[in-house]
Amino acid sequence: MSHLIATLALKYEDDVVAARQRARQVTRLLEFDERDQTRIGTAVSEVARQVLQSAKGGDVQFLLEGETSPQVLQVCIAERAAAPGKRATNRSKTPEPNHARELDRTDAVVAAHRLMDQCRVEWQEGRRSVRLTRILPRRAPVFSPAQLKTLSEQLHDQPPQSPWDEVKQQNQELLRALEELRLRQEELVRVNQELEDTNRGVVALYAELDEKAEHLRRADDMKSRFLSNTSHEFRTPLNSILGISRLLLDRTDGDLTEEQDKQVHYIRKSAEELLETVNDLLDLAKIEAGKIDIIPSEFEVATLFSALRGMLKPLLVSNAVSLVFSDASGLPTLYTDERKVSQILRNFISNALKFTERGTVEVSAASTPDGQAVEFTVTDTGIGITEEDQAIIFEEFTQVDHPLQRRVKGTGLGLPLCRHLAMLLGGSVRVSSRVAQGSIFTATIPIRYAGTEEAGGSVEELPVDSERVPLLIVEDEPETRLLYAKYLRGTPFQPVAAGSIRQAREMLRRQRPAAIVLDVVLPNENSWAWLAELKADERTSGIPIIVATNVEDERKGLALGADAYCMKPLDRTGLLKQLKEVTGHRMPGTPEERPLVLVIDDQEAARYVLRRLLKSGGYGIIEAANGADGLRVAAERQPDLIMLDLAMPGMSGYEVLQRLKGDPRTDWIPVAIVTSQAMSEDQQRLVRDAQVVITKDQLSLGRLMPVMSALGIAKKV
Ligand code: ADP
């Protein structure tokens, strides 16, 4: 129900002022605050002015809508009705939304939209009107019809103000508005200040957070460094123990009694176990420092299982437990790091055997449903692990308290290592177990290791060696490529292999080799044409090409521009001779009758082990206890091989290596780095000039001989 509170006719300019006054009076009575009185007054007078202008007259109605709180004030400002004739025409046309819309777009109505809760332009009975709506303030009472009647009577009695009063009134309103604006401005400045302070605080907090993160990173770094340093410290003496006990067991210095043999075996076994723990520690440190290399290769699960069976047999000490490998045939071939998968399974199986007193330990493998991975499971019938402990056993140094635990050895490093290794391969590990029933450890390993490009897919990226010149070998057989790479050890050439002409082209775009060794019967390729092309292109015509082939057509090869033509198989001397001829590079000297090895190592015990080994292998040996001596002796005696320790006081092995390779008297001598631990990538980079790296725990004649022959230093007994 709407109640009319007041009306007003718009005929003259003065009426606009009156409308404003009326609006203010009405709103004051309805208990709007001063600010709203001004707002509504302004909206009403602006629209009234517009209506008066466009229709030359009209009227204003003030109405109150609603009987419950909050009631709503409506001000309806309508244009005056058009003359009867015009109205008829208007009505004959369809309603005039456009006409209404025009009004809606006037400045006055746009302003009213902002000042009121609602502002609608309507079209009624051939005339336009603007309906302004404003909800009464919350504190206003609900006005009954009787009250409204009184109210409108009061209004009626209020005399209209003179324009003079209105100006005064408006000035006051303006002043109030300005004052309000000033207060707002002050408030804004204050809030801004506060915001600035907060921002500064946030920035400071971030800086602190960064600092904390940096601390954490450093602590992590230090932990890794500490682990790797300590494990290194442990390894050196352990390796001496292993080396010397091996000499004793090999009876190098005469026979042992049965008892002595047993004792030395114990010594060796303890040293081996300790070394394994140290290796685990180092592996973890390396993984955390991101310094572990994944070496993927193709292998079958069945082969892996049979190797594991052999390795783990010695752990089966009781007849009450059997170790069963399930059938692994029919599984896809894996392309990933076999050693790491083996390491994970070995850990799982040796744990299962440790914590199972009777029953079976079963090792099995199955493809995942999507066929992308293989799930290896090791199931035991052992003591089991509570759910609570299952959550923590993959943390470092965690062991579950159990009577059996006290009897078995362990460090709590195996499972964390498994988890890290599986993650490195793109997989995961998990456990499920019931106490007193057994456990199932699962490692999910992707079939294809995604971290590196498939071997042979592109040009082999050998470490770029600034001291050696690249030699492009275009050869599709990997074995032959490997053979050439071996031949080239100790020479000024760094082999870069390409398995196809496409790869060779790619490589040529990147670097200019000293020469090209080209197999002309690469499958599906016209290598003859490529040979001709290379020799015709002035950018490549200067690169010597040695054709190495099974095809007897030397004349053709030479006619197409080949610089040398050799029949396969090519031996080392043959290849080096050709290379020397076509490139003019100096080649290393040929080995003496009795190959001479220089051992540079500060540790007496280490030199002793090598001396014994090499002597029994028929090598001549000279020793140097420090880097400076080693360099001098190397230049004087020109040995066939230098075995170099890295960690030496004074001049380090790295420096010795650098100087050896920087001196024309010694730069051709192959160097074998003999270290007590597997090296980080950084370290490997530092010793990339060395031909081979041997770890001390692997030192035995059996290990050394293939290395020697690969280096072309055949044993002469
Ligand atoms: P370690 O075996 O060297 O102590 P691990 O990290 O390999 O360290 O294992 C951590 C702990 O998890 C073990 O000490 C043992 O308490 C628990 N555990 C591992 N495998 C099994 C298993 N198959 N059955 C019961 N407990 C196990």
Side-chain angles (χ1 to χ4, degrees):
M1 229 313 266
S2 55
H3 299 274
L4 186 63
I5 309 170
T7 58
L8 187 106
L10 294 172
K11 284 189 191 140
Y12 312 106
E13 292 279 321
D14 286 358
D15 294 335
V16 175
V17 180
R20 186 184 180 101
Q21 285 174 353
R22 200 41 112 209
R24 197 180 310 112
Q25 288 162 349
V26 170
T27 49
R28 192 181 306 131
L29 288 172
L30 293 178
E31 301 202 5
F32 282 97
D33 64 18
E34 281 192 353
R35 202 182 322 147
D36 280 343
Q37 291 172 25
T38 308
R39 275 202 182 127
I40 298 167
T42 309
V44 169
S45 62
E46 281 302 294
V47 175
R49 188 194 322 279
Q50 177 64 41
V51 163
L52 188 65
Q53 244 173 32
S54 55
K56 306 283 173 278
D59 56 66
V60 184
Q61 291 188 332
F62 294 89
L63 305 141
L64 194 71
E65 296 280 352
E67 270 124 51
T68 54
S69 176
Q71 288 172 302
V72 174
L73 168 71
Q74 289 211 324
V75 186
C76 186
I77 306 157
E79 290 181 344
R80 97 194 141 106
K86 198 165 177 206
R87 197 160 63 198
T89 356
N90 272 348
R91 227 189 269 141
S92 68
K93 289 188 196 154
T94 38
E96 297 245 355
N98 286 341
H99 195 41
R101 228 174 281 145
E102 262 168 40
L103 184 60
D104 203 17
R105 281 202 283 265
T106 56
D107 289 348
V109 177
V110 169
H113 271 289
R114 271 209 298 275
L115 294 167
M116 304 299 284
D117 288 336
Q118 238 178 37
C119 169
R120 274 201 317 273
V121 177
E122 294 167 347
W123 177 260
Q124 266 178 3
E125 294 168 19
R127 57 188 200 140
R128 300 184 297 185
S129 62
V130 180
R131 189 179 293 273
L132 305 175
T133 309
R134 182 86 199 199
I135 300 169
L136 260 56
R138 223 180 300 159
R139 65 189 142 73
V142 175
F143 295 91
S144 65
Q147 280 172 314
L148 286 171
K149 193 157 172 275
T150 332
L151 217 130
S152 70
E153 280 162 12
Q154 276 177 9
L155 282 169
H156 207 75
D157 293 343
Q158 285 188 3
Q161 284 173 294
S162 68
W164 180 253
D165 287 333
E166 181 55 29
V167 171
K168 206 170 100 196
Q169 178 75 33
Q170 287 205 14
N171 272 347
Q172 276 170 6
E173 279 173 11
L174 192 64
L175 282 176
R176 265 201 302 276
L178 283 175
E179 174 62 11
E180 212 168 286
L181 201 66
R182 190 185 61 79
L183 289 176
R184 286 278 176 94
Q185 199 104 31
E186 275 178 13
E187 175 70 3
L188 199 67
V189 168
R190 196 185 58 74
V191 171
N192 246 339
Q193 180 67 42
E194 214 165 278
L195 200 67
E196 213 171 282
D197 288 352
T198 315
N199 276 350
R200 236 178 257 141
V202 171
V203 169
L205 275 177
Y206 262 106
E208 217 166 282
L209 207 62
D210 273 352
E211 201 179 313
K212 286 265 164 2
E214 173 63 19
H215 267 146
L216 275 177
R217 206 186 50 69
R218 269 208 306 254
D220 214 41
D221 243 29
M222 295 227 307
K223 185 183 103 187
S224 296
R225 232 176 310 148
F226 169 78
L227 280 177
S228 89
N229 286 346
T230 12
S231 22
H232 181 78
E233 295 297 319
F234 277 125
R235 269 168 204 252
T236 314
L238 276 173
N239 283 321
S240 297
I241 298 176
L242 285 174
I244 295 172
S245 59
R246 159 69 55 211
L247 285 178
L248 285 171
L249 291 174
D250 286 350
R251 312 292 199 265
T252 320
D253 294 289
D255 209 3
L256 300 181
T257 64
E258 201 180 310
E259 247 352 85
Q260 284 170 333
D261 183 273
K262 209 183 285 169
Q263 290 160 4
V264 178
H265 261 113
Y266 281 135
I267 294 176
R268 191 170 169 83
K269 193 150 182 305
S270 309
E272 274 169 0
E273 276 164 13
L274 195 52
L275 193 63
E276 202 163 305
T277 307
V278 173
N279 284 342
D280 276 359
L281 265 176
L282 193 77
D283 274 356
L284 274 172
K286 277 202 293 198
I287 293 178
E288 277 174 17
K291 285 184 184 156
I292 206 138
D293 295 330
I294 303 291
I295 307 166
S297 64
E298 288 206 342
F299 65 94
E300 302 295 335
V301 177
T303 331
L304 172 68
F305 276 9
S306 81
L308 281 171
R309 203 179 291 129
M311 264 188 263
L312 294 161
K313 215 179 261 161
L315 292 183
L316 271 173
V317 281
S318 122
N319 284 336
V321 183
S322 55
L323 175 61
V324 182
F325 283 83
S326 66
D327 180 23
S329 58
L331 283 170
T333 307
L334 282 142
Y335 175 78
T336 185
D337 193 322
E338 183 177 3
R339 268 196 53 200
K340 304 216 161 42
V341 179
S342 166
Q343 211 172 340
I344 295 171
L345 290 181
R346 258 188 348 248
N347 261 315
F348 282 177
I349 301 170
S350 69
N351 276 348
L353 292 172
K354 277 198 286 192
F355 298 106
T356 307
E357 285 181 301
R358 61 188 58 83
T360 320
V361 171
E362 190 183 345
V363 187
S364 59
S367 285
T368 50
D370 63 3
Q372 298 295 313
V374 169
E375 251 182 20
F376 293 94
T377 47
V378 176
T379 313
D380 66 51
T381 53
I383 58 174
I385 308 162
T386 62
E387 220 159 278
E388 211 176 291
D389 290 331
Q390 287 173 31
I392 53 165
I393 50 172
F394 288 103
E395 306 285 325
E396 283 152 45
F397 302 109
T398 306
Q399 291 182 316
V400 181
D401 200 23
H402 187 275
L404 200 54
Q405 180 80 65
R406 278 166 228 140
R407 269 186 278 143
V408 297
K409 293 185 290 5
T411 51
L413 284 174
L415 292 178
L417 186 59
C418 289
R419 188 172 57 116
H420 280 303
L421 288 173
M423 265 162 38
L424 280 180
L425 300 180
S428 59
V429 291
R430 61 175 194 275
V431 62
S432 78
S433 179
R434 311 240 342 228
V435 174
Q437 296 197 3
S439 316
I440 306 175
F441 279 86
T442 306
T444 310
I445 307 292
I447 287 180
R448 301 203 79 74
Y449 172 65
T452 57
E453 222 185 306
E454 214 175 305
S458 70
V459 176
E460 282 170 41
E461 293 279 357
L462 285 164
V464 183
D465 185 335
S466 55
E467 308 225 330
R468 294 170 80 196
V469 283
L471 173 72
L472 177 58
I473 295 178
V474 190
E475 170 61 65
D476 64 315
E477 296 167 9
E479 312 82 57
T480 313
R481 290 206 296 262
L482 206 66
L483 191 72
Y484 289 165
K486 278 185 188 166
Y487 286 172
L488 292 169
R489 289 193 182 152
T491 72
F493 299 108
Q494 162 91 16
V496 181
S500 65
I501 302 279
R502 186 186 57 78
Q503 289 176 7
R505 279 186 208 277
E506 197 184 309
M507 188 262 148
L508 275 179
R509 260 199 303 278
R510 281 188 280 164
Q511 54 190 150
R512 186 184 169 91
I516 300 174
V517 178
L518 173 66
D519 174 11
V520 286
V521 279
L522 298 169
N524 319 323
E525 312 222 36
N526 195 346
S527 18
W528 293 112
W530 189 58
L531 168 63
E533 187 188 311
L534 284 177
K535 285 299 174 183
D537 187 336
E538 62 179 37
R539 281 168 304 176
T540 49
S541 61
I543 305 173
I545 300 180
I546 302 172
V547 171
T549 177
N550 293 318
V551 185
E552 273 193 67
D553 200 347
E554 183 164 359
R555 289 177 58 89
K556 177 162 85 177
L558 296 180
L560 290 174
D563 297 79
Y565 199 94
C566 319
M567 290 305 293
K568 276 175 156 181
L570 214 61
D571 62 8
R572 181 170 193 263
T573 328
L575 179 66
L576 296 192
K577 184 169 150 275
Q578 295 291 3
L579 279 174
K580 184 167 186 249
E581 264 168 32
V582 300
T583 66
H585 272 280
R586 208 174 59 77
M587 290 294 160
T590 36
E592 287 173 24
E593 258 319 285
R594 185 174 141 91
L596 191 62
V597 180
L598 167 62
V599 175
I600 310 178
D601 197 320
D602 63 304
Q603 288 214 334
E604 168 91 62
R607 288 204 308 273
Y608 174 77
V609 172
L610 275 175
R611 183 162 67 230
R612 303 295 309 182
L613 268 180
L614 291 169
K615 278 228 169 94
S616 63
Y619 291 89
I621 170 159
I622 22 177
E623 291 174 34
N626 60 53
D629 280 355
L631 286 176
R632 188 176 40 74
V633 176
E636 279 169 18
R637 301 282 303 274
Q638 306 251 308
D640 296 290
L641 175 70
I642 297 173
M643 298 188 99
L644 175 63
D645 179 36
L646 287 180
M648 290 190 290
M651 194 189 294
S652 76
Y654 299 106
E655 196 180 339
V656 174
L657 178 64
Q658 206 183 5
R659 291 199 186 195
L660 282 172
K661 294 295 167 185
D663 183 339
R665 290 171 304 169
T666 51
D667 63 352
W668 57 271
I669 307 175
V671 177
I673 299 292
V674 186
T675 119
S676 51
Q677 61 185 0
M679 283 190 290
S680 69
E681 257 174 44
D682 282 348
Q683 289 168 323
Q684 281 175 14
R685 211 166 306 127
L686 285 174
V687 301
R688 61 176 179 224
D689 286 340
Q691 274 63 38
V692 64
V693 176
I694 306 170
T695 51
K696 285 187 179 170
D697 57 330
Q698 294 175 328
L699 273 185
S700 68
L701 257 194
R703 258 287 298 170
L704 218 51
M705 284 308 122
V707 175
M708 295 299 205
S709 42
L711 290 175
I713 310 159
K715 182 168 78 156
K716 309 251 167 68
V717 199

